Amino acid sequence: MSVSEGPEGPEPAERRPDAPDYPVREAARAPSVPALDERLTHCRACPRLVDWREQVAREGRRAYAGWDYWARPVPGFGPDDARLLVVGLAPAAHGGNRTGRMFTGDRSGDVLYAALHRIGLANQPDATHIDDGLRLYGVRVTAPVHCAPPANKPTPEERDTCRAWLAGELRLMRPTVRALVVLGAFGWQAVLPALAAAGWSVPRPRPAFAHGAHVTLVATDGGPDLELFGCYHVSQRNTFTGRLTPTMLTDVLSRAALAAGLRP
Ligand code: SF4
């Protein structure tokens, strides 16, 4: 059965996973984070990214010979009642796109999960594959773009199309989430509109990204405010050059965890 065909024939056009408004429709209707995650994994709304994620999986990489790539949108990872969110930009072609879990199977994830483990928010420092036993405590890791993009650069249109999933995730986690760390300037730009859509007031002009930046976003509906933090991305380009050191990363994550009411 094709992804666009149900047991009683073709899906109505507006419900097909390759419809441009599939993310908006399905994210808004999802009754829970697990339901949103499940719907997300069927999404095919961005033709270029669908082609890329599947091409990467077909061609593979010598180091991962024998791997059956996930090659689908990668959902957030961590408890759905987390108080802290860590948000990157998009899965890596041979990382999350291979393993099916955010920041898993690449150097960026090695750095991130080791830091979360250091401050007591992960049970182990390693993230190698989806059954590696990794568990997060009070923190969930997600992204504003859920498919691996060529050259790690989604187009503005792809970024805007995918935003609905993050906005939906934020809406569903609103009762518990109190702080959010954005990794990198691209992610920062992509996340701010989703935060506004989910019910927090984003100042004008928009707050600028910086490592260590901290902004309190006031709720527009009387709900809880959100403590927003900026952090350099955990990319190899930053960690290999020392632009982002383990201490710098741990410091921002610790501040955010404290702001979220976690006690690392
Ligand atoms: S990037 Fe987002 S909106 Fe585009 S196909 Fe992937 S999951 Fe769907």
Side-chain angles (χ1 to χ4, degrees):
M1 185 173 70
S2 85
V3 291
S4 59
E5 190 164 311
E8 296 173 4
E11 294 276 7
E14 72 274 12
R15 290 177 53 193
R16 289 174 45 166
D18 58 355
D21 64 350
Y22 177 83
V24 170
R25 286 175 170 273
E26 296 301 322
R29 288 177 184 162
S32 66
V33 173
L36 182 138
D37 288 347
E38 201 281 329
R39 294 169 191 208
L40 162 70
T41 61
H42 298 285
C43 186
R44 302 177 67 85
C46 305
R48 187 183 77 117
L49 299 191
V50 171
D51 287 349
W52 178 249
R53 74 194 194 202
E54 294 177 355
Q55 179 186 332
V56 167
R58 279 194 306 275
E59 296 175 353
R61 180 180 272 182
R62 184 180 301 226
Y64 306 124
W67 265 86
D68 186 13
Y69 276 56
W70 172 252
R72 293 163 66 182
V74 181
F77 170 58
D80 58 13
D81 60 351
R83 296 181 68 86
L84 173 62
L85 272 174
V86 176
V87 184
L89 176 60
H94 297 280
N97 188 54
R98 173 171 59 92
T99 62
R101 198 174 69 190
M102 281 290 173
F103 283 104
T104 297
D106 60 29
R107 299 287 182 120
S108 299
D110 293 345
V111 172
L112 176 62
Y113 289 118
L116 290 173
H117 180 250
R118 275 197 300 278
I119 63 173
L121 299 186
N123 69 324
Q124 62 186 45
D126 305 313
T128 53
H129 59 92
I130 205 160
D131 295 318
D132 60 10
L134 176 63
R135 290 179 59 202
L136 302 183
Y137 306 126
V139 58
R140 182 172 164 92
V141 179
T142 190
V145 176
H146 287 272
C147 292
N152 293 320
K153 284 186 183 160
T155 66
E157 183 182 5
E158 291 160 351
R159 181 197 62 200
D160 293 348
T161 300
C162 204
R163 182 183 302 138
W165 294 116
L166 180 59
E169 192 174 8
L170 288 164
R171 171 182 61 81
L172 291 163
M173 295 183 66
R174 193 82 191 284
T176 60
V177 70
R178 297 291 182 271
L180 188 150
V181 176
V182 184
L183 302 174
F186 286 119
W188 182 270
Q189 294 302 326
V191 164
L192 291 179
L195 295 174
W200 288 285
S201 177
V202 176
R204 294 275 180 180
R206 286 180 177 177
F209 172 80
H211 180 79
H214 175 204
V215 185
T216 299
L217 302 184
V218 177
T220 55
D221 60 359
D225 297 343
L226 184 77
E227 306 300 326
L228 174 67
F229 294 82
C231 180
Y232 288 145
H233 196 278
V234 287
S235 66
Q236 289 188 58
R237 191 172 54 186
N238 287 339
T239 57
F240 278 21
T241 59
R243 187 171 193 235
L244 178 67
T245 65
T247 302
M248 291 167 67
L249 176 60
T250 302
D251 177 60
V252 174
L253 291 173
S254 295
R255 288 169 58 206
L258 285 170
L262 299 169
R263 299 184 184 279

